[in-house]
Amino acid sequence: MTITLKNVSFSYAESLDDAVIKNLNFEIKSGECVVLVGESGCGKTTISKLINGLIPLYQSGTMAGDVLLGDKNTADMTLAEISRHVGSVFQNPRSQFFNIDTDSEIAFGCENLGMDPEEIRGRVNRVVKEFHIEHLAGRNIFHLSGGEKQKIACASVSATDPEIFVLDEPSANLDLKTVADLAEIIKFWKSRGKTVVIVEHRIHYLRNIADRICYVKDGQIQDEWTPTELEAKGPEYAASLGLRCMNLEQLKNKVPELAEGPEGSKVPAKRTLKESLLFNNLHFAYNRKFPVLDIPVLSLPRNQITAIIGHNGAGKSTLAQVLCGLRGTWRQKRKARKYGAYLIMQDVNHQLFTESVLEEVLLGMRPQNEKAALEILAGLNLDQYAHEHPMALSGGQKQRVAIGSGVSSGRDIVVFDEPTSGLDYRQMLAVSATLQKLATSGKTLLVITHDPEFILNCCQSVIRMEYGKIAEQYLLQGNQEKLIEAMLNV
C-alpha cells in the first residue's frame, strides 16, 4: 500500500507558526522499506504518527494537508479503520502490551478487530512458526528479556496482517544479536510485499534491507540515499549530519577518544588495570535453582569508564543493581552500597520525581548548588529545559536528565544502564563528553551498553558477560576489532 503525504504541516500547538512538520510532500511506494533518520526533534516520530493515525486522531495539535493510505485519506478514517491497514511497533514494547501471557498478547490485535476465534488461533500458530518463537509460547511476558518482548510485539502486530508496518526506534534497547533477529523479521515482512517505515538512530542492521534512507531535518526530507550510497560516504560524513554509522565494520580501526583532563590537557586512553576497585562474591538468584549472577571477583578500574557488554539476559543489569544495593548480597553492607554508588536505570521514568528538570538535578546534590546544576544541564544540552517538567520531555531528553542527576549525586561509583538508548550521534557525543569529565574528576564509571560507537568514544576498558559470569575483561585500546567482533557475535 502506497503512503502519500501532500503539503502536510503539523504543530503540537494551536498554531502552525511553530510547526514540527512543514509543508511536507513525501511518498513511500507499496512494498518499499524506508528508514527515517535525523537528529532528535527533527520530526521523524511525528511523520510516523501521521502515517499510523495517532496524529491527529489521538495526539492533539494543528494540522494542514493530507495523508493518504492508498487512495484513502486518514482524515476520513477512524483509528480502528487505520489499524486494519497499519501496524505499529514502539521503542518500548511494554507500552503496547495488554496481557500477561505471550499467547494472549499475540492474539490480542486479532481479537480487537473482531476476528473469528478459529481464524485467530490459526494466525497465532502461523506467526509463531514464521518468527521461530515456539520457545516463547505460553510464557509470562514479565519474565521475558527486552529482545523477547520485542519479538512478541512484532508477532502480535504481524498476526493482524496489516499492509503497512511502522516501527519507532525498535532496536534502541536490543543487543546486536537480537537486532539481527529483528532484521530477519523486517526482511520477512518485506518478502511478503509489506510496506515498512522505520524511525531509527541505529541504522547499520538495515544496510541490506532498506530501499531508501531519508534524512529529516526541520520537518522536511532534506536528503535521501540508498544504504550503499550512504555507506560509501563513510562514518565521518554520517557523523557530520548527526547520524550513526551505516556499517559497524568501518569502526574497527577507530582510535578511542581521549578524555579532557585538568585545564584542557588530554588524559591518555591507554591505562592499566592495576588500580582497581575489587568486589568479591557478587551473587544473585531469583530462586535457588536458577542463579542469575555468579561473579567471585570483579575488578573495576578506578577513575575510568568501563563498558559491560553481552547479550540480553547475560546478567548486566542485575550486576548493576547488586553493586548499587538494590539486589543481592556481597561483603559490603547494602546501606554502604547505596551511598557509594548511583544507578541510572534503562527506563528512566522510574527515577524522575520532581516538577522541573533543574529540581531533578538538584535533588541528590549535597550541598545544593543551582549554578553547578545549570552547568551540568548545559553540558548535556538541557539548559533550555531547566524549568520544564521532566515527564514532558522526549525519551532521549529524559535519559540526559537522569544522567545529570547521576553527575550531581557526588557518588564515587556511577553505573549507567544503556545511557545512549534512543540518542542520536551528537547527543551520544555529548553524553560521552560528560562521562569523560566525570571520570577525570575522580569518579569510577560502569556503563552497560550495546552501543559500540559510544564505547569507542569514551570507554577505556571492556567487560564481557555471559550467563551471569565475566567471560573476559580487557583494555579497549588496541582491541577495537575484538570489541566489534564480540558485539556482532553476542
Side-chain angles (χ1 to χ4, degrees), residues 277 279 320-326 330 332-343 363-366 405-406 408-415 443-444:
L277 297 169
F279 304 91
Q321 293 166 2
V322 169
L323 284 173
C324 296
L326 299 179
W330 50 279
Q332 190 181 18
K333 292 182 179 180
R334 179 172 290 190
K335 183 176 181 180
R337 282 184 275 158
K338 286 182 179 179
Y339 288 100
Y342 189 98
L343 173 63
L363 185 63
M365 184 182 286
R366 295 292 181 272
S405 298
S408 69
S409 69
R411 308 290 173 85
D412 293 329
I413 302 172
V414 184
V415 184
K443 307 299 181 185
T444 300

Side-chain angles (χ1 to χ4, degrees), residues 16-85:
L16 289 175
D17 292 341
D18 297 317
V20 177
I21 304 298
K22 303 170 184 176
N23 197 34
L24 176 62
N25 288 282
F26 185 43
E27 181 178 270
I28 301 173
K29 297 177 182 177
S30 180
E32 193 174 22
C33 178
V34 170
V35 184
L36 301 177
V37 300
E39 297 182 275
S40 297
C42 67
K44 305 185 302 295
T45 297
T46 301
I47 293 174
S48 73
K49 290 179 179 179
L50 286 163
I51 294 170
N52 64 20
L54 291 178
I55 293 176
L57 298 176
Y58 177 79
Q59 198 150 16
S60 61
T62 305
M63 178 178 169
D66 301 300
V67 179
L68 304 177
L69 303 180
D71 58 357
K72 296 181 179 179
N73 196 317
T74 56
D76 301 324
M77 305 167 70
T78 64
L79 268 177
E81 290 172 331
I82 293 174
S83 68
R84 292 181 180 274
H85 301 284

